[in-house]
Amino acid sequence: MTNICVQDIVKAFGQDPILRGITLEVGSGEFVAVLGRSGSGKSTLLRIIAGLEFADDGTIDRNGNVAMVFQEARLIPWLRVNENLAIGKNRSELNAATAALDEVGLSEKARVWPATLSGGQAQRVSLARALVRAPNLLLLDEPFGALDALTRLEMQDLVHSVRSHHGFTSIMVTHDVEEAVRLADRVVILGDGQIILDEQIPKSPPRDPADYPQLVKRLLGVLGVRTHVAA
Ligand SMILES: Nc1ncnc2c1ncn2[C@@H]1O[C@H](COP(=O)(O)OP(=O)(O)O)[C@@H](O)[C@H]1O
Ligand SMILES: [Mg+2]
């Protein structure tokens, strides 16, 4: 079953189109990683899919709730963590907030102020805030981009386990080839406003990218990055 169907999306800011006809069909429960160089239009595409931005042309069909996690946690500083999750503050929202915080391993932070959280904790809260919406489609825009390498690995594990538990469809933008290989069912590369690679990754995630040196090298090649790693 298809959860989201993006067809012929075109978007320009000014003269040159950033997206020149993007077509992407994502099946229900599928996890797609979108790679591309900086400025290739990844965030723009995700924002259009989320409905935060309009395309100049093309269509998007999607079903169910959509939630998004950004590179910065974007928590409201004058609301405690659980209030950031349950803006309505009614009983059922607060219960959902408690469950989501528990799921990301931060139950004990429910009543603290966002400013007291580490970067990794803030991103966990922002993931929990997305889970409160019971998303059918979770959009992740470089959610771990600002984190140190170890925290990043922990967050990748968390995203994998949350995904296994909830079964939502997910599109994750990342500039990290290894992250894509670790987590996704399928990888798409944006270049020149178009999809220049779209392929399934063998076996189920999570994977150790070290077991896929050829794939990592090939993806880097398509991205235009040369490495000296033998593969
Ligand atoms: N609101 C905007 N107004 C003008 N230009 C924009 C806007 N958003 C993005 N751009 C431009 O579109 C291009 C693609 O941006 P973006 O989608 O953020 O790329 P990526 O996420 O792949 O780095 C960039 O050149 C960026 O400067
Ligand atoms: Mg971006």
Side-chain angles (χ1 to χ4, degrees), residues 103-128:
E103 198 165 357
V104 301
L106 286 181
S107 317
E108 79 283 8
K109 298 289 185 186
R111 297 295 297 157
V112 310
W113 302 106
T116 67
L117 301 172
S118 69
Q121 289 170 339
Q123 272 314 64
R124 280 173 188 260
V125 171
S126 107
L127 178 61

PDB file of all heavy atoms in Angstrom, residues 103-128:
ATOM      1  N   GLU A 103       9.165   6.532  26.009  1.00  0.00           N
ATOM      2  CA  GLU A 103       9.685   5.815  24.859  1.00  0.00           C
ATOM      3  C   GLU A 103      11.075   6.297  24.429  1.00  0.00           C
ATOM      4  O   GLU A 103      11.901   5.519  23.963  1.00  0.00           O
ATOM      5  CB  GLU A 103       8.699   5.960  23.705  1.00  0.00           C
ATOM      6  CG  GLU A 103       8.955   4.924  22.687  1.00  0.00           C
ATOM      7  CD  GLU A 103       7.836   4.768  21.703  1.00  0.00           C
ATOM      8  OE1 GLU A 103       6.788   5.441  21.844  1.00  0.00           O
ATOM      9  OE2 GLU A 103       8.035   3.989  20.782  1.00  0.00           O
ATOM     10  N   VAL A 104      11.322   7.592  24.577  1.00  0.00           N
ATOM     11  CA  VAL A 104      12.642   8.108  24.191  1.00  0.00           C
ATOM     12  C   VAL A 104      13.602   8.124  25.385  1.00  0.00           C
ATOM     13  O   VAL A 104      14.704   8.671  25.302  1.00  0.00           O
ATOM     14  CB  VAL A 104      12.559   9.522  23.548  1.00  0.00           C
ATOM     15  CG1 VAL A 104      11.689   9.502  22.305  1.00  0.00           C
ATOM     16  CG2 VAL A 104      12.076  10.565  24.544  1.00  0.00           C
ATOM     17  N   GLY A 105      13.178   7.520  26.496  1.00  0.00           N
ATOM     18  CA  GLY A 105      14.068   7.349  27.651  1.00  0.00           C
ATOM     19  C   GLY A 105      14.261   8.611  28.473  1.00  0.00           C
ATOM     20  O   GLY A 105      15.300   8.781  29.114  1.00  0.00           O
ATOM     21  N   LEU A 106      13.262   9.512  28.464  1.00  0.00           N
ATOM     22  CA  LEU A 106      13.419  10.772  29.197  1.00  0.00           C
ATOM     23  C   LEU A 106      12.261  11.058  30.161  1.00  0.00           C
ATOM     24  O   LEU A 106      11.936  12.221  30.412  1.00  0.00           O
ATOM     25  CB  LEU A 106      13.550  11.941  28.209  1.00  0.00           C
ATOM     26  CG  LEU A 106      14.884  12.072  27.478  1.00  0.00           C
ATOM     27  CD1 LEU A 106      14.865  13.293  26.567  1.00  0.00           C
ATOM     28  CD2 LEU A 106      16.051  12.174  28.456  1.00  0.00           C
ATOM     29  N   SER A 107      11.702  10.007  30.727  1.00  0.00           N
ATOM     30  CA  SER A 107      10.576  10.215  31.662  1.00  0.00           C
ATOM     31  C   SER A 107      10.935  11.189  32.771  1.00  0.00           C
ATOM     32  O   SER A 107      10.102  11.998  33.190  1.00  0.00           O
ATOM     33  CB  SER A 107      10.174   8.904  32.341  1.00  0.00           C
ATOM     34  OG  SER A 107      10.160   7.871  31.431  1.00  0.00           O
ATOM     35  N   GLU A 108      12.181  11.100  33.225  1.00  0.00           N
ATOM     36  CA  GLU A 108      12.567  11.928  34.391  1.00  0.00           C
ATOM     37  C   GLU A 108      12.730  13.406  34.033  1.00  0.00           C
ATOM     38  O   GLU A 108      12.896  14.252  34.912  1.00  0.00           O
ATOM     39  CB  GLU A 108      13.842  11.375  35.051  1.00  0.00           C
ATOM     40  CG  GLU A 108      15.155  11.709  34.381  1.00  0.00           C
ATOM     41  CD  GLU A 108      15.456  10.878  33.124  1.00  0.00           C
ATOM     42  OE1 GLU A 108      14.573  10.118  32.642  1.00  0.00           O
ATOM     43  OE2 GLU A 108      16.583  10.992  32.614  1.00  0.00           O
ATOM     44  N   LYS A 109      12.625  13.737  32.743  1.00  0.00           N
ATOM     45  CA  LYS A 109      12.802  15.132  32.329  1.00  0.00           C
ATOM     46  C   LYS A 109      11.469  15.847  32.072  1.00  0.00           C
ATOM     47  O   LYS A 109      11.462  16.985  31.575  1.00  0.00           O
ATOM     48  CB  LYS A 109      13.649  15.200  31.051  1.00  0.00           C
ATOM     49  CG  LYS A 109      15.052  14.639  31.213  1.00  0.00           C
ATOM     50  CD  LYS A 109      15.908  15.548  32.068  1.00  0.00           C
ATOM     51  CE  LYS A 109      17.344  15.044  32.132  1.00  0.00           C
ATOM     52  NZ  LYS A 109      18.147  15.828  33.074  1.00  0.00           N
ATOM     53  N   ALA A 110      10.375  15.198  32.403  1.00  0.00           N
ATOM     54  CA  ALA A 110       9.055  15.742  32.054  1.00  0.00           C
ATOM     55  C   ALA A 110       8.846  17.176  32.543  1.00  0.00           C
ATOM     56  O   ALA A 110       8.263  17.999  31.851  1.00  0.00           O
ATOM     57  CB  ALA A 110       7.955  14.832  32.604  1.00  0.00           C
ATOM     58  N   ARG A 111       9.348  17.494  33.737  1.00  0.00           N
ATOM     59  CA  ARG A 111       9.030  18.794  34.346  1.00  0.00           C
ATOM     60  C   ARG A 111      10.172  19.803  34.244  1.00  0.00           C
ATOM     61  O   ARG A 111      10.127  20.857  34.875  1.00  0.00           O
ATOM     62  CB  ARG A 111       8.640  18.597  35.826  1.00  0.00           C
ATOM     63  CG  ARG A 111       7.393  17.754  36.043  1.00  0.00           C
ATOM     64  CD  ARG A 111       6.127  18.381  35.500  1.00  0.00           C
ATOM     65  NE  ARG A 111       5.792  19.640  36.159  1.00  0.00           N
ATOM     66  CZ  ARG A 111       5.040  20.593  35.620  1.00  0.00           C
ATOM     67  NH1 ARG A 111       4.567  20.460  34.399  1.00  0.00           N
ATOM     68  NH2 ARG A 111       4.782  21.681  36.293  1.00  0.00           N
ATOM     69  N   VAL A 112      11.211  19.482  33.513  1.00  0.00           N
ATOM     70  CA  VAL A 112      12.338  20.429  33.450  1.00  0.00           C
ATOM     71  C   VAL A 112      12.122  21.427  32.308  1.00  0.00           C
ATOM     72  O   VAL A 112      11.265  21.249  31.442  1.00  0.00           O
ATOM     73  CB  VAL A 112      13.717  19.717  33.286  1.00  0.00           C
ATOM     74  CG1 VAL A 112      13.876  18.600  34.313  1.00  0.00           C
ATOM     75  CG2 VAL A 112      13.923  19.204  31.880  1.00  0.00           C
ATOM     76  N   TRP A 113      12.935  22.495  32.335  1.00  0.00           N
ATOM     77  CA  TRP A 113      12.899  23.493  31.265  1.00  0.00           C
ATOM     78  C   TRP A 113      13.804  23.051  30.120  1.00  0.00           C
ATOM     79  O   TRP A 113      14.872  22.481  30.361  1.00  0.00           O
ATOM     80  CB  TRP A 113      13.370  24.855  31.793  1.00  0.00           C
ATOM     81  CG  TRP A 113      12.555  25.363  32.936  1.00  0.00           C
ATOM     82  CD1 TRP A 113      12.929  25.402  34.248  1.00  0.00           C
ATOM     83  CD2 TRP A 113      11.218  25.866  32.878  1.00  0.00           C
ATOM     84  NE1 TRP A 113      11.900  25.907  35.012  1.00  0.00           N
ATOM     85  CE2 TRP A 113      10.846  26.201  34.201  1.00  0.00           C
ATOM     86  CE3 TRP A 113      10.303  26.070  31.843  1.00  0.00           C
ATOM     87  CZ2 TRP A 113       9.590  26.729  34.508  1.00  0.00           C
ATOM     88  CZ3 TRP A 113       9.054  26.589  32.150  1.00  0.00           C
ATOM     89  CH2 TRP A 113       8.711  26.920  33.465  1.00  0.00           C
ATOM     90  N   PRO A 114      13.412  23.324  28.874  1.00  0.00           N
ATOM     91  CA  PRO A 114      14.221  22.921  27.722  1.00  0.00           C
ATOM     92  C   PRO A 114      15.690  23.357  27.809  1.00  0.00           C
ATOM     93  O   PRO A 114      16.579  22.629  27.374  1.00  0.00           O
ATOM     94  CB  PRO A 114      13.511  23.591  26.544  1.00  0.00           C
ATOM     95  CG  PRO A 114      12.086  23.669  26.968  1.00  0.00           C
ATOM     96  CD  PRO A 114      12.123  23.922  28.454  1.00  0.00           C
ATOM     97  N   ALA A 115      15.934  24.530  28.392  1.00  0.00           N
ATOM     98  CA  ALA A 115      17.312  25.041  28.430  1.00  0.00           C
ATOM     99  C   ALA A 115      18.253  24.143  29.225  1.00  0.00           C
ATOM    100  O   ALA A 115      19.466  24.219  29.061  1.00  0.00           O
ATOM    101  CB  ALA A 115      17.332  26.454  29.011  1.00  0.00           C
ATOM    102  N   THR A 116      17.706  23.295  30.089  1.00  0.00           N
ATOM    103  CA  THR A 116      18.562  22.428  30.905  1.00  0.00           C
ATOM    104  C   THR A 116      18.926  21.122  30.191  1.00  0.00           C
ATOM    105  O   THR A 116      19.676  20.319  30.721  1.00  0.00           O
ATOM    106  CB  THR A 116      17.876  22.071  32.251  1.00  0.00           C
ATOM    107  OG1 THR A 116      16.734  21.247  31.972  1.00  0.00           O
ATOM    108  CG2 THR A 116      17.434  23.318  32.998  1.00  0.00           C
ATOM    109  N   LEU A 117      18.382  20.915  28.989  1.00  0.00           N
ATOM    110  CA  LEU A 117      18.650  19.663  28.272  1.00  0.00           C
ATOM    111  C   LEU A 117      19.934  19.744  27.453  1.00  0.00           C
ATOM    112  O   LEU A 117      20.277  20.816  26.944  1.00  0.00           O
ATOM    113  CB  LEU A 117      17.492  19.349  27.319  1.00  0.00           C
ATOM    114  CG  LEU A 117      16.099  19.178  27.917  1.00  0.00           C
ATOM    115  CD1 LEU A 117      15.066  19.076  26.787  1.00  0.00           C
ATOM    116  CD2 LEU A 117      16.027  17.947  28.813  1.00  0.00           C
ATOM    117  N   SER A 118      20.612  18.612  27.291  1.00  0.00           N
ATOM    118  CA  SER A 118      21.732  18.552  26.339  1.00  0.00           C
ATOM    119  C   SER A 118      21.147  18.528  24.919  1.00  0.00           C
ATOM    120  O   SER A 118      19.944  18.318  24.740  1.00  0.00           O
ATOM    121  CB  SER A 118      22.548  17.283  26.580  1.00  0.00           C
ATOM    122  OG  SER A 118      21.790  16.147  26.192  1.00  0.00           O
ATOM    123  N   GLY A 119      22.020  18.711  23.926  1.00  0.00           N
ATOM    124  CA  GLY A 119      21.555  18.690  22.533  1.00  0.00           C
ATOM    125  C   GLY A 119      20.876  17.380  22.178  1.00  0.00           C
ATOM    126  O   GLY A 119      19.826  17.361  21.526  1.00  0.00           O
ATOM    127  N   GLY A 120      21.468  16.282  22.620  1.00  0.00           N
ATOM    128  CA  GLY A 120      20.892  14.967  22.324  1.00  0.00           C
ATOM    129  C   GLY A 120      19.539  14.787  23.002  1.00  0.00           C
ATOM    130  O   GLY A 120      18.597  14.265  22.406  1.00  0.00           O
ATOM    131  N   GLN A 121      19.453  15.240  24.256  1.00  0.00           N
ATOM    132  CA  GLN A 121      18.174  15.127  24.978  1.00  0.00           C
ATOM    133  C   GLN A 121      17.101  15.981  24.307  1.00  0.00           C
ATOM    134  O   GLN A 121      15.951  15.555  24.174  1.00  0.00           O
ATOM    135  CB  GLN A 121      18.354  15.567  26.438  1.00  0.00           C
ATOM    136  CG  GLN A 121      19.152  14.577  27.267  1.00  0.00           C
ATOM    137  CD  GLN A 121      19.524  15.132  28.629  1.00  0.00           C
ATOM    138  OE1 GLN A 121      19.544  16.344  28.842  1.00  0.00           O
ATOM    139  NE2 GLN A 121      19.837  14.235  29.557  1.00  0.00           N
ATOM    140  N   ALA A 122      17.477  17.177  23.887  1.00  0.00           N
ATOM    141  CA  ALA A 122      16.503  18.056  23.228  1.00  0.00           C
ATOM    142  C   ALA A 122      15.978  17.393  21.948  1.00  0.00           C
ATOM    143  O   ALA A 122      14.781  17.469  21.636  1.00  0.00           O
ATOM    144  CB  ALA A 122      17.135  19.409  22.915  1.00  0.00           C
ATOM    145  N   GLN A 123      16.862  16.716  21.210  1.00  0.00           N
ATOM    146  CA  GLN A 123      16.409  16.039  19.999  1.00  0.00           C
ATOM    147  C   GLN A 123      15.511  14.858  20.335  1.00  0.00           C
ATOM    148  O   GLN A 123      14.577  14.543  19.606  1.00  0.00           O
ATOM    149  CB  GLN A 123      17.591  15.574  19.143  1.00  0.00           C
ATOM    150  CG  GLN A 123      18.096  16.591  18.146  1.00  0.00           C
ATOM    151  CD  GLN A 123      17.004  17.288  17.337  1.00  0.00           C
ATOM    152  OE1 GLN A 123      16.164  18.012  17.850  1.00  0.00           O
ATOM    153  NE2 GLN A 123      17.000  17.088  16.040  1.00  0.00           N
ATOM    154  N   ARG A 124      15.788  14.176  21.469  1.00  0.00           N
ATOM    155  CA  ARG A 124      14.893  13.096  21.896  1.00  0.00           C
ATOM    156  C   ARG A 124      13.509  13.652  22.196  1.00  0.00           C
ATOM    157  O   ARG A 124      12.491  13.051  21.852  1.00  0.00           O
ATOM    158  CB  ARG A 124      15.426  12.431  23.170  1.00  0.00           C
ATOM    159  CG  ARG A 124      16.514  11.443  22.888  1.00  0.00           C
ATOM    160  CD  ARG A 124      17.132  10.951  24.184  1.00  0.00           C
ATOM    161  NE  ARG A 124      18.281  10.154  23.847  1.00  0.00           N
ATOM    162  CZ  ARG A 124      18.276   8.820  23.829  1.00  0.00           C
ATOM    163  NH1 ARG A 124      17.229   8.143  24.208  1.00  0.00           N
ATOM    164  NH2 ARG A 124      19.346   8.172  23.440  1.00  0.00           N
ATOM    165  N   VAL A 125      13.482  14.820  22.845  1.00  0.00           N
ATOM    166  CA  VAL A 125      12.191  15.441  23.164  1.00  0.00           C
ATOM    167  C   VAL A 125      11.474  15.808  21.861  1.00  0.00           C
ATOM    168  O   VAL A 125      10.267  15.621  21.724  1.00  0.00           O
ATOM    169  CB  VAL A 125      12.380  16.683  24.063  1.00  0.00           C
ATOM    170  CG1 VAL A 125      11.070  17.441  24.216  1.00  0.00           C
ATOM    171  CG2 VAL A 125      12.917  16.268  25.435  1.00  0.00           C
ATOM    172  N   SER A 126      12.238  16.300  20.903  1.00  0.00           N
ATOM    173  CA  SER A 126      11.572  16.698  19.666  1.00  0.00           C
ATOM    174  C   SER A 126      11.051  15.467  18.908  1.00  0.00           C
ATOM    175  O   SER A 126      10.001  15.517  18.270  1.00  0.00           O
ATOM    176  CB  SER A 126      12.458  17.639  18.855  1.00  0.00           C
ATOM    177  OG  SER A 126      12.994  17.033  17.758  1.00  0.00           O
ATOM    178  N   LEU A 127      11.745  14.337  19.047  1.00  0.00           N
ATOM    179  CA  LEU A 127      11.213  13.087  18.488  1.00  0.00           C
ATOM    180  C   LEU A 127       9.945  12.667  19.239  1.00  0.00           C
ATOM    181  O   LEU A 127       8.946  12.267  18.633  1.00  0.00           O
ATOM    182  CB  LEU A 127      12.287  11.989  18.558  1.00  0.00           C
ATOM    183  CG  LEU A 127      11.880  10.603  18.066  1.00  0.00           C
ATOM    184  CD1 LEU A 127      11.484  10.628  16.591  1.00  0.00           C
ATOM    185  CD2 LEU A 127      13.014   9.592  18.276  1.00  0.00           C
ATOM    186  N   ALA A 128       9.984  12.793  20.565  1.00  0.00           N
ATOM    187  CA  ALA A 128       8.800  12.450  21.379  1.00  0.00           C
ATOM    188  C   ALA A 128       7.611  13.331  20.991  1.00  0.00           C
ATOM    189  O   ALA A 128       6.475  12.859  20.898  1.00  0.00           O
ATOM    190  CB  ALA A 128       9.121  12.602  22.863  1.00  0.00           C
TER     191      ALA A 128
END
